[in-house]
């Protein structure tokens, strides 16, 4: 028969591991450090840097208290050991208790040291201090710049809570349990160092490819760090990342069907007849991404390609409103995902006026 001590030990170890790594079940139940201390941590969206300075400090205190919590739990689960009476316990339990108390005391001293001078000694603050240069006069102004860029909706963010990757207009950030790594895009380069295949489930059509990228900064005070993401997110990262990306030897990045089609879509459109913009007509930003100017126009040209001069395509009278990438993604999203061989020859409605068009009708604006 299993003893109460062994049962509690196993249950407590499982709880500690689950609490530290916070899987989906604990997050959904609200048993996370972020939720338990939300009133003191504040909002990540309002003050990203300040939030994670407090979060990492609380995490150190909570995790260092787990051994002491184990001892206190054993006092209840195994009363026959008399762990509540120090003069009656064995030397091994006394050593464990002293080690737990020292760990808790050391963590409090560390956090108090970090908090001095408005958290000037915290590792996150020290990382910010390494980026202090014109136009930033202090690490606080660097933090304010990161906070502002994090609030923008066009940032790239992915990853689990313990290894989040965030790319803003100027920064590459990696949020871990105890630290926030950061590098300026203008001072770093990224290298794809490894790719691994993971079969997520027997029902998945293809295995997931996890890429490992190393971020190196030319600033000697900034440590290199690794980020990991799914290969399906690589194209989105590459669009947001202005720093150069290099591939190590023998690392092959698998593209999704949609990404492969988008490359083919661009190549075919470049072969089509260009569209000359009328005099005095201005190019507006693409209404899909609002990042680059609209550079495509739908012109019914496919009827000239067929021998019978007939086509199901329709005239589109919309002005240039979409960029080539957004129009290609729209074209791919309207296809039968189970029949990729039909994508190039199919027709889809214009995203604005619903007039049908094919890939031969897409013209690049000159």
């Amino acid at each position: 028969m299993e003893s109460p001590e062994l049962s509690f030990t196993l249950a407590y170890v499982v709880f500690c591991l689950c609490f530290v790594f916070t899987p989906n079940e604990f997050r959904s139940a609200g048993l996370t450090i972020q939720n338990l201390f939300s009133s003191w941590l504040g909002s990540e969206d309002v003050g990203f840097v300040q939030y994670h300075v407090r979060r990492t400090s609380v995490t150190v205190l909570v995790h260092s208290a787990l051994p002491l919590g184990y001892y206190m739990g054993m006092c209840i689960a195994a009363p026959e050991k008399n762990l509540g009476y120090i003069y009656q316990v064995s030397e091994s339990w006394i050593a464990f208790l002293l080690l737990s108390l020292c760990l808790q005391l050391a963590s409090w001293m560390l956090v108090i040291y970090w908090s001095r001078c408005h958290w000037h000694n915290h590792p996150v603050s020290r990382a910010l201090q390494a980026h202090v240069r014109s136009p930033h006069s202090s690490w606080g102004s660097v933090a304010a710049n990161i906070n502002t860029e994090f609030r923008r909706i066009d940032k790239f963010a992915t990853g689990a809570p313990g290894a989040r990757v965030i790319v803003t207009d100027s920064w590459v950030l990696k949020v871990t349990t105890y630290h926030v790594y950061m590098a300026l895009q203008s001072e770093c380069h990224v290298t794809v160092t490894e790719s691994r295949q993971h079969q997520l489930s027997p029902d998945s059509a293809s295995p997931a490819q996890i890429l490992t990228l190393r971020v190196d900064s030319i600033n000697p005070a900034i440590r290199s760090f690794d980020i990991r993401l799914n290969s399906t997110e690589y194209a989105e990262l590459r669009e947001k990342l202005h720093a150069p990306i290099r591939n190590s030897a023998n690392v092959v990045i698998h593209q999704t069907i949609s990404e492969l089609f988008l490359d083919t879509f661009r190549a075919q459109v470049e072969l089509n007849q260009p569209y000359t913009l009328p005099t005095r007509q201005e190019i507006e930003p693409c209404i899909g991404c609002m990042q680059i100017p609209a550079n495509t126009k739908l012109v019914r040209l496919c009827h000239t390609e067929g021998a019978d001069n007939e086509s199901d395509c329709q005239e589109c009278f919309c002005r240039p409103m979409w960029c080539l990438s957004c129009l290609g993604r729209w074209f791919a999203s309207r296809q039968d995902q189970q029949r990729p061989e039909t994508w190039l020859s199919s027709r889809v409605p214009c995203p604005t006026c619903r007039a049908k068009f094919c890939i031969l009708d897409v013209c690049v604006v000159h």
Side-chain angles (χ1 to χ4, degrees):
M1 183 174 172
E2 193 174 17
S3 65
E5 176 184 350
L6 180 60
S7 300
F8 182 84
T9 302
L10 293 176
Y12 188 80
V13 169
V14 171
F15 172 79
C16 290
L17 292 175
C18 292
F19 189 82
V20 170
F21 295 105
T22 58
N24 293 331
E25 291 78 5
F26 275 73
R27 289 199 299 270
S28 61
L31 296 177
T32 64
I33 291 176
Q34 290 88 333
N35 290 336
L36 294 176
F37 298 92
S38 59
S39 59
W40 184 70
L41 295 178
S43 172
E44 184 184 41
D45 293 328
V46 174
F48 174 84
V49 173
Q50 291 80 1
Y51 174 87
H52 286 286
V53 165
R54 299 188 187 102
R55 179 193 61 81
T56 52
S57 302
V58 172
T59 301
V60 169
L61 293 176
V62 172
H63 290 179
S64 64
L66 293 178
L68 185 59
Y70 171 75
Y71 184 91
M72 296 174 65
M74 287 300 298
C75 292
I76 301 174
E80 69 278 1
K81 290 185 174 295
N82 296 320
L83 297 181
Y85 303 94
I86 302 299
Y87 59 89
Q88 296 182 6
V89 300
S90 62
E91 293 182 356
S92 59
W93 278 108
I94 291 179
F96 180 82
L97 177 60
L98 291 176
L99 186 62
S100 301
L101 291 172
C102 289
L103 181 62
Q104 183 66 25
L105 180 61
S107 65
W108 274 101
M109 293 176 63
L110 178 63
V111 172
I112 292 173
Y113 170 73
W114 285 350
S115 65
R116 295 179 61 187
C117 300
H118 303 287
W119 301 97
H120 179 80
N121 298 318
H122 195 279
V124 175
S125 302
R126 291 182 178 272
L128 291 170
Q129 292 168 28
H131 291 98
V132 175
R133 60 179 60 86
S134 180
H136 304 297
S137 58
S138 65
W139 69 268
S141 61
V142 180
N145 176 256
I146 295 178
N147 293 343
T148 300
E149 293 193 3
F150 181 80
R151 285 193 290 267
R152 296 172 184 168
I153 61 174
D154 62 338
K155 64 180 179 293
F156 171 82
T158 186
R164 289 172 61 201
V165 177
I166 302 166
V167 180
T168 66
D169 294 335
S170 305
W171 297 90
V172 180
L173 308 170
K174 178 184 177 182
V175 179
T176 65
T177 304
Y178 301 107
H179 192 52
V180 177
Y181 298 90
M182 58 191 71
L184 267 173
Q185 289 204 42
S186 59
E187 296 181 350
C188 72
H189 58 268
V190 182
T191 305
V192 183
T193 59
E194 185 184 19
S195 65
R196 291 186 178 182
Q197 299 291 113
H198 294 273
Q199 190 71 37
L200 298 182
S201 68
D203 300 329
S204 61
S206 60
Q209 183 187 32
I210 305 300
L211 302 177
T212 301
L213 298 88
R214 187 179 67 250
V215 180
D216 298 297
S217 176
I218 61 175
N219 188 337
I222 303 302
R223 289 190 300 166
S224 301
F225 57 93
D226 292 336
I227 59 177
R228 291 179 176 83
L229 70 157
N230 198 305
S231 61
T232 58
E233 301 170 315
Y234 179 74
E236 186 180 354
L237 170 71
R238 191 170 52 185
E239 289 183 1
K240 189 64 179 177
L241 194 63
H242 307 304
I245 302 180
R246 302 178 298 187
N247 268 29
S248 297
N250 303 323
V251 176
V252 178
I253 301 174
H254 298 164
Q255 292 181 295
T256 64
I257 294 179
S258 298
E259 291 169 348
L260 292 172
F261 172 78
L262 191 57
D263 292 339
T264 305
F265 184 87
R266 291 194 188 99
Q268 176 58 52
V269 171
E270 292 294 336
L271 299 176
N272 294 345
Q273 174 183 323
Y275 174 79
T276 302
L277 197 69
T279 306
R280 295 187 178 181
Q281 182 174 345
E282 296 182 356
I283 292 291
E284 299 178 358
C286 168
I287 64 175
C289 63
M290 300 299 293
Q291 298 296 313
I292 60 177
N295 56 8
T296 59
K297 175 73 170 71
L298 298 181
V299 181
R300 188 168 181 258
L301 299 173
C302 61
H303 65 282
T304 62
E305 300 292 334
D308 53 2
N309 288 341
E310 293 183 0
S311 172
D312 292 334
C313 295
Q314 301 169 335
E315 291 285 353
C316 175
F317 299 99
C318 300
R319 66 182 188 277
M321 302 174 66
W322 299 83
C323 67
L324 186 56
S325 296
C326 288
L327 193 62
R329 292 189 181 95
W330 165 264
F331 197 99
S333 68
R334 307 294 293 182
Q335 306 303 316
D336 184 351
Q337 302 300 311
Q338 305 302 321
R339 300 178 61 194
E341 69 278 1
T342 64
W343 290 14
L344 287 175
S345 60
S346 64
R347 293 171 175 82
V348 301
C350 167
T352 308
C353 70
R354 302 302 176 180
K356 287 187 177 181
F357 71 96
C358 67
I359 195 172
L360 297 176
D361 298 330
V362 182
C363 301
V364 176
V365 174
H366 281 187

